[in-house]
Amino acid sequence: MTTPFGGPARTAPGLPNLPTPPTGWPVGSYATYAEAQRAVDHLADSDFPVRDVTIVGVDLMLVERVIGRLTWGRVLVSGAASGAWFGLFVGLLLSLFSSGNNPLGPILVGLASGLLFGLIFAAVGYGATRGRRDFTSASQMVAGRYDVLCQPRNAEKARELLAKLAMGPNPAT
């Protein structure tokens, strides 16, 4: 059993599986996750035992990118739309089990009530913030650098393979 960091799990029976710090020797350091992933992919392509390899994000940061400004109009339209989708789903389910002549009735009732409740809940939620957060954003966890670690038994071989990757393709002679 391994931890999310690739190290062995150290738990006694009945205790939760808690994360442990990663182990291994550094064999490469990269500015982006894509570069670290490329390095591990190179090791895998070279028939290296990649189970010994761990990518570790160092100097973690939470980056929040602001997407746009929130207004009453945007909040109400978004709430009405999400409520309408949910109401449509409920209406479709009700129409499957209704015995009436008009299967469209439950769908329209579900759609209308979902739209109304979505509108109300969005208005109440936005009104409760009192303008303290008038923007939308997307959050992402990123690292300042990405270290590739390898268990000591194969670390030297990993360094040699990654050095060849750093030199680029072999020139034709």
Side-chain angles (χ1 to χ4, degrees):
M1 183 184 295
T2 61
T3 66
F5 298 107
R10 298 181 193 141
T11 59
L15 294 178
N17 188 8
L18 300 174
T20 58
T23 60
W25 292 354
V27 294
S29 187
Y30 303 92
T32 66
Y33 181 76
E35 292 172 345
Q37 193 175 17
R38 181 174 169 250
V40 174
D41 190 47
H42 176 72
L43 292 174
D45 291 346
S46 301
D47 293 326
F48 185 84
V50 290
R51 289 185 57 97
D52 287 351
V53 176
T54 306
I55 299 175
V56 180
V58 180
D59 296 329
L60 294 180
M61 300 173 267
L62 177 66
V63 178
E64 185 175 8
R65 292 183 182 18
V66 177
I67 297 171
R69 179 167 164 65
L70 271 182
T71 63
W72 274 105
R74 285 186 180 169
V75 168
L76 295 177
V77 167
S78 175
S82 64
W85 275 114
F86 183 71
L88 180 64
F89 174 70
V90 171
L92 284 170
L93 287 177
L94 288 174
S95 72
L96 291 175
F97 299 108
S98 74
S99 59
N101 296 349
N102 185 5
L104 201 58
I107 294 174
L108 293 177
V109 169
L111 182 66
S113 57
L115 188 142
L116 180 65
F117 279 108
L119 191 72
I120 291 169
F121 284 126
V124 169
Y126 184 64
T129 65
R130 299 180 191 259
R132 284 187 300 254
R133 189 173 167 95
D134 281 343
F135 61 91
T136 59
S137 63
S139 297
Q140 183 181 33
M141 187 71 71
V142 295
R145 75 173 193 275
Y146 297 87
D147 291 341
V148 175
L149 306 181
C150 183
Q151 293 303 312
R153 63 182 164 257
N154 289 313
E156 287 303 319
K157 182 179 177 186
R159 282 191 188 115
E160 290 172 12
L161 290 169
L162 293 178
K164 291 177 185 174
L165 176 66
M167 286 188 265
N170 294 336
T173 53

PDB file of all heavy atoms in Angstrom, residues 77-98:
ATOM      1  N   VAL A  77     -29.723  35.520 -13.319  1.00  0.00           N
ATOM      2  CA  VAL A  77     -29.789  34.681 -14.518  1.00  0.00           C
ATOM      3  C   VAL A  77     -29.140  33.326 -14.247  1.00  0.00           C
ATOM      4  O   VAL A  77     -29.676  32.271 -14.627  1.00  0.00           O
ATOM      5  CB  VAL A  77     -29.117  35.396 -15.721  1.00  0.00           C
ATOM      6  CG1 VAL A  77     -28.878  34.440 -16.872  1.00  0.00           C
ATOM      7  CG2 VAL A  77     -29.977  36.563 -16.178  1.00  0.00           C
ATOM      8  N   SER A  78     -27.995  33.331 -13.582  1.00  0.00           N
ATOM      9  CA  SER A  78     -27.312  32.077 -13.267  1.00  0.00           C
ATOM     10  C   SER A  78     -28.154  31.210 -12.328  1.00  0.00           C
ATOM     11  O   SER A  78     -28.275  29.998 -12.522  1.00  0.00           O
ATOM     12  CB  SER A  78     -25.964  32.383 -12.621  1.00  0.00           C
ATOM     13  OG  SER A  78     -25.340  31.208 -12.197  1.00  0.00           O
ATOM     14  N   GLY A  79     -28.743  31.819 -11.301  1.00  0.00           N
ATOM     15  CA  GLY A  79     -29.592  31.071 -10.378  1.00  0.00           C
ATOM     16  C   GLY A  79     -30.819  30.509 -11.070  1.00  0.00           C
ATOM     17  O   GLY A  79     -31.202  29.356 -10.834  1.00  0.00           O
ATOM     18  N   ALA A  80     -31.444  31.321 -11.927  1.00  0.00           N
ATOM     19  CA  ALA A  80     -32.629  30.855 -12.652  1.00  0.00           C
ATOM     20  C   ALA A  80     -32.272  29.705 -13.591  1.00  0.00           C
ATOM     21  O   ALA A  80     -33.011  28.720 -13.696  1.00  0.00           O
ATOM     22  CB  ALA A  80     -33.254  32.010 -13.431  1.00  0.00           C
ATOM     23  N   ALA A  81     -31.129  29.804 -14.257  1.00  0.00           N
ATOM     24  CA  ALA A  81     -30.721  28.755 -15.197  1.00  0.00           C
ATOM     25  C   ALA A  81     -30.428  27.443 -14.468  1.00  0.00           C
ATOM     26  O   ALA A  81     -30.886  26.373 -14.897  1.00  0.00           O
ATOM     27  CB  ALA A  81     -29.494  29.202 -15.990  1.00  0.00           C
ATOM     28  N   SER A  82     -29.675  27.504 -13.369  1.00  0.00           N
ATOM     29  CA  SER A  82     -29.367  26.263 -12.662  1.00  0.00           C
ATOM     30  C   SER A  82     -30.629  25.680 -12.030  1.00  0.00           C
ATOM     31  O   SER A  82     -30.810  24.452 -12.020  1.00  0.00           O
ATOM     32  CB  SER A  82     -28.280  26.481 -11.605  1.00  0.00           C
ATOM     33  OG  SER A  82     -28.721  27.358 -10.597  1.00  0.00           O
ATOM     34  N   GLY A  83     -31.518  26.526 -11.529  1.00  0.00           N
ATOM     35  CA  GLY A  83     -32.780  26.030 -10.993  1.00  0.00           C
ATOM     36  C   GLY A  83     -33.647  25.409 -12.071  1.00  0.00           C
ATOM     37  O   GLY A  83     -34.311  24.399 -11.848  1.00  0.00           O
ATOM     38  N   ALA A  84     -33.640  26.018 -13.254  1.00  0.00           N
ATOM     39  CA  ALA A  84     -34.434  25.488 -14.360  1.00  0.00           C
ATOM     40  C   ALA A  84     -33.937  24.100 -14.771  1.00  0.00           C
ATOM     41  O   ALA A  84     -34.736  23.206 -15.051  1.00  0.00           O
ATOM     42  CB  ALA A  84     -34.388  26.445 -15.548  1.00  0.00           C
ATOM     43  N   TRP A  85     -32.632  23.902 -14.825  1.00  0.00           N
ATOM     44  CA  TRP A  85     -32.094  22.591 -15.168  1.00  0.00           C
ATOM     45  C   TRP A  85     -32.532  21.539 -14.160  1.00  0.00           C
ATOM     46  O   TRP A  85     -32.931  20.438 -14.526  1.00  0.00           O
ATOM     47  CB  TRP A  85     -30.559  22.620 -15.236  1.00  0.00           C
ATOM     48  CG  TRP A  85     -30.046  23.075 -16.558  1.00  0.00           C
ATOM     49  CD1 TRP A  85     -29.356  24.215 -16.809  1.00  0.00           C
ATOM     50  CD2 TRP A  85     -30.182  22.404 -17.813  1.00  0.00           C
ATOM     51  NE1 TRP A  85     -29.058  24.297 -18.137  1.00  0.00           N
ATOM     52  CE2 TRP A  85     -29.550  23.189 -18.784  1.00  0.00           C
ATOM     53  CE3 TRP A  85     -30.775  21.216 -18.208  1.00  0.00           C
ATOM     54  CZ2 TRP A  85     -29.486  22.832 -20.114  1.00  0.00           C
ATOM     55  CZ3 TRP A  85     -30.718  20.856 -19.541  1.00  0.00           C
ATOM     56  CH2 TRP A  85     -30.070  21.664 -20.475  1.00  0.00           C
ATOM     57  N   PHE A  86     -32.425  21.877 -12.864  1.00  0.00           N
ATOM     58  CA  PHE A  86     -32.831  20.929 -11.844  1.00  0.00           C
ATOM     59  C   PHE A  86     -34.338  20.661 -11.933  1.00  0.00           C
ATOM     60  O   PHE A  86     -34.789  19.521 -11.831  1.00  0.00           O
ATOM     61  CB  PHE A  86     -32.448  21.430 -10.447  1.00  0.00           C
ATOM     62  CG  PHE A  86     -32.779  20.456  -9.368  1.00  0.00           C
ATOM     63  CD1 PHE A  86     -32.060  19.287  -9.226  1.00  0.00           C
ATOM     64  CD2 PHE A  86     -33.833  20.692  -8.500  1.00  0.00           C
ATOM     65  CE1 PHE A  86     -32.371  18.369  -8.240  1.00  0.00           C
ATOM     66  CE2 PHE A  86     -34.159  19.783  -7.508  1.00  0.00           C
ATOM     67  CZ  PHE A  86     -33.422  18.616  -7.372  1.00  0.00           C
ATOM     68  N   GLY A  87     -35.109  21.726 -12.123  1.00  0.00           N
ATOM     69  CA  GLY A  87     -36.558  21.570 -12.254  1.00  0.00           C
ATOM     70  C   GLY A  87     -36.939  20.741 -13.467  1.00  0.00           C
ATOM     71  O   GLY A  87     -37.881  19.943 -13.414  1.00  0.00           O
ATOM     72  N   LEU A  88     -36.229  20.917 -14.563  1.00  0.00           N
ATOM     73  CA  LEU A  88     -36.477  20.119 -15.764  1.00  0.00           C
ATOM     74  C   LEU A  88     -36.214  18.639 -15.486  1.00  0.00           C
ATOM     75  O   LEU A  88     -37.003  17.774 -15.878  1.00  0.00           O
ATOM     76  CB  LEU A  88     -35.600  20.609 -16.918  1.00  0.00           C
ATOM     77  CG  LEU A  88     -35.746  19.887 -18.245  1.00  0.00           C
ATOM     78  CD1 LEU A  88     -37.154  20.072 -18.806  1.00  0.00           C
ATOM     79  CD2 LEU A  88     -34.711  20.385 -19.234  1.00  0.00           C
ATOM     80  N   PHE A  89     -35.148  18.362 -14.779  1.00  0.00           N
ATOM     81  CA  PHE A  89     -34.830  16.978 -14.421  1.00  0.00           C
ATOM     82  C   PHE A  89     -35.935  16.367 -13.557  1.00  0.00           C
ATOM     83  O   PHE A  89     -36.403  15.267 -13.818  1.00  0.00           O
ATOM     84  CB  PHE A  89     -33.482  16.942 -13.686  1.00  0.00           C
ATOM     85  CG  PHE A  89     -33.129  15.591 -13.142  1.00  0.00           C
ATOM     86  CD1 PHE A  89     -32.798  14.545 -13.984  1.00  0.00           C
ATOM     87  CD2 PHE A  89     -33.143  15.369 -11.775  1.00  0.00           C
ATOM     88  CE1 PHE A  89     -32.477  13.301 -13.471  1.00  0.00           C
ATOM     89  CE2 PHE A  89     -32.823  14.126 -11.263  1.00  0.00           C
ATOM     90  CZ  PHE A  89     -32.488  13.088 -12.109  1.00  0.00           C
ATOM     91  N   VAL A  90     -36.353  17.108 -12.523  1.00  0.00           N
ATOM     92  CA  VAL A  90     -37.426  16.612 -11.648  1.00  0.00           C
ATOM     93  C   VAL A  90     -38.720  16.450 -12.447  1.00  0.00           C
ATOM     94  O   VAL A  90     -39.445  15.460 -12.297  1.00  0.00           O
ATOM     95  CB  VAL A  90     -37.622  17.552 -10.441  1.00  0.00           C
ATOM     96  CG1 VAL A  90     -38.873  17.188  -9.650  1.00  0.00           C
ATOM     97  CG2 VAL A  90     -36.396  17.518  -9.545  1.00  0.00           C
ATOM     98  N   GLY A  91     -39.026  17.408 -13.311  1.00  0.00           N
ATOM     99  CA  GLY A  91     -40.228  17.317 -14.139  1.00  0.00           C
ATOM    100  C   GLY A  91     -40.218  16.109 -15.052  1.00  0.00           C
ATOM    101  O   GLY A  91     -41.242  15.451 -15.244  1.00  0.00           O
ATOM    102  N   LEU A  92     -39.052  15.811 -15.633  1.00  0.00           N
ATOM    103  CA  LEU A  92     -38.934  14.625 -16.485  1.00  0.00           C
ATOM    104  C   LEU A  92     -39.169  13.345 -15.679  1.00  0.00           C
ATOM    105  O   LEU A  92     -39.858  12.432 -16.146  1.00  0.00           O
ATOM    106  CB  LEU A  92     -37.565  14.578 -17.156  1.00  0.00           C
ATOM    107  CG  LEU A  92     -37.362  15.529 -18.328  1.00  0.00           C
ATOM    108  CD1 LEU A  92     -35.893  15.571 -18.742  1.00  0.00           C
ATOM    109  CD2 LEU A  92     -38.237  15.124 -19.498  1.00  0.00           C
ATOM    110  N   LEU A  93     -38.630  13.293 -14.477  1.00  0.00           N
ATOM    111  CA  LEU A  93     -38.861  12.127 -13.628  1.00  0.00           C
ATOM    112  C   LEU A  93     -40.337  11.992 -13.271  1.00  0.00           C
ATOM    113  O   LEU A  93     -40.905  10.899 -13.317  1.00  0.00           O
ATOM    114  CB  LEU A  93     -38.024  12.214 -12.356  1.00  0.00           C
ATOM    115  CG  LEU A  93     -36.526  11.973 -12.512  1.00  0.00           C
ATOM    116  CD1 LEU A  93     -35.815  12.155 -11.173  1.00  0.00           C
ATOM    117  CD2 LEU A  93     -36.244  10.596 -13.066  1.00  0.00           C
ATOM    118  N   LEU A  94     -40.970  13.112 -12.932  1.00  0.00           N
ATOM    119  CA  LEU A  94     -42.393  13.077 -12.589  1.00  0.00           C
ATOM    120  C   LEU A  94     -43.242  12.652 -13.788  1.00  0.00           C
ATOM    121  O   LEU A  94     -44.224  11.935 -13.638  1.00  0.00           O
ATOM    122  CB  LEU A  94     -42.859  14.439 -12.075  1.00  0.00           C
ATOM    123  CG  LEU A  94     -42.359  14.832 -10.685  1.00  0.00           C
ATOM    124  CD1 LEU A  94     -42.783  16.260 -10.363  1.00  0.00           C
ATOM    125  CD2 LEU A  94     -42.875  13.873  -9.633  1.00  0.00           C
ATOM    126  N   SER A  95     -42.861  13.110 -14.969  1.00  0.00           N
ATOM    127  CA  SER A  95     -43.656  12.761 -16.156  1.00  0.00           C
ATOM    128  C   SER A  95     -43.578  11.267 -16.465  1.00  0.00           C
ATOM    129  O   SER A  95     -44.502  10.697 -17.037  1.00  0.00           O
ATOM    130  CB  SER A  95     -43.208  13.580 -17.366  1.00  0.00           C
ATOM    131  OG  SER A  95     -41.947  13.144 -17.824  1.00  0.00           O
ATOM    132  N   LEU A  96     -42.473  10.625 -16.089  1.00  0.00           N
ATOM    133  CA  LEU A  96     -42.349   9.189 -16.315  1.00  0.00           C
ATOM    134  C   LEU A  96     -43.319   8.399 -15.451  1.00  0.00           C
ATOM    135  O   LEU A  96     -43.782   7.333 -15.841  1.00  0.00           O
ATOM    136  CB  LEU A  96     -40.918   8.726 -16.020  1.00  0.00           C
ATOM    137  CG  LEU A  96     -39.833   9.194 -16.983  1.00  0.00           C
ATOM    138  CD1 LEU A  96     -38.456   8.759 -16.482  1.00  0.00           C
ATOM    139  CD2 LEU A  96     -40.074   8.640 -18.381  1.00  0.00           C
ATOM    140  N   PHE A  97     -43.614   8.928 -14.270  1.00  0.00           N
ATOM    141  CA  PHE A  97     -44.455   8.199 -13.333  1.00  0.00           C
ATOM    142  C   PHE A  97     -45.875   8.745 -13.228  1.00  0.00           C
ATOM    143  O   PHE A  97     -46.666   8.244 -12.443  1.00  0.00           O
ATOM    144  CB  PHE A  97     -43.806   8.192 -11.946  1.00  0.00           C
ATOM    145  CG  PHE A  97     -42.460   7.532 -11.940  1.00  0.00           C
ATOM    146  CD1 PHE A  97     -41.303   8.276 -11.794  1.00  0.00           C
ATOM    147  CD2 PHE A  97     -42.348   6.164 -12.108  1.00  0.00           C
ATOM    148  CE1 PHE A  97     -40.064   7.670 -11.800  1.00  0.00           C
ATOM    149  CE2 PHE A  97     -41.100   5.544 -12.120  1.00  0.00           C
ATOM    150  CZ  PHE A  97     -39.958   6.299 -11.963  1.00  0.00           C
ATOM    151  N   SER A  98     -46.201   9.781 -13.994  1.00  0.00           N
ATOM    152  CA  SER A  98     -47.560  10.338 -13.923  1.00  0.00           C
ATOM    153  C   SER A  98     -48.495   9.514 -14.826  1.00  0.00           C
ATOM    154  O   SER A  98     -48.097   9.007 -15.869  1.00  0.00           O
ATOM    155  CB  SER A  98     -47.571  11.808 -14.342  1.00  0.00           C
ATOM    156  OG  SER A  98     -47.412  11.925 -15.727  1.00  0.00           O
TER     157      SER A  98
END
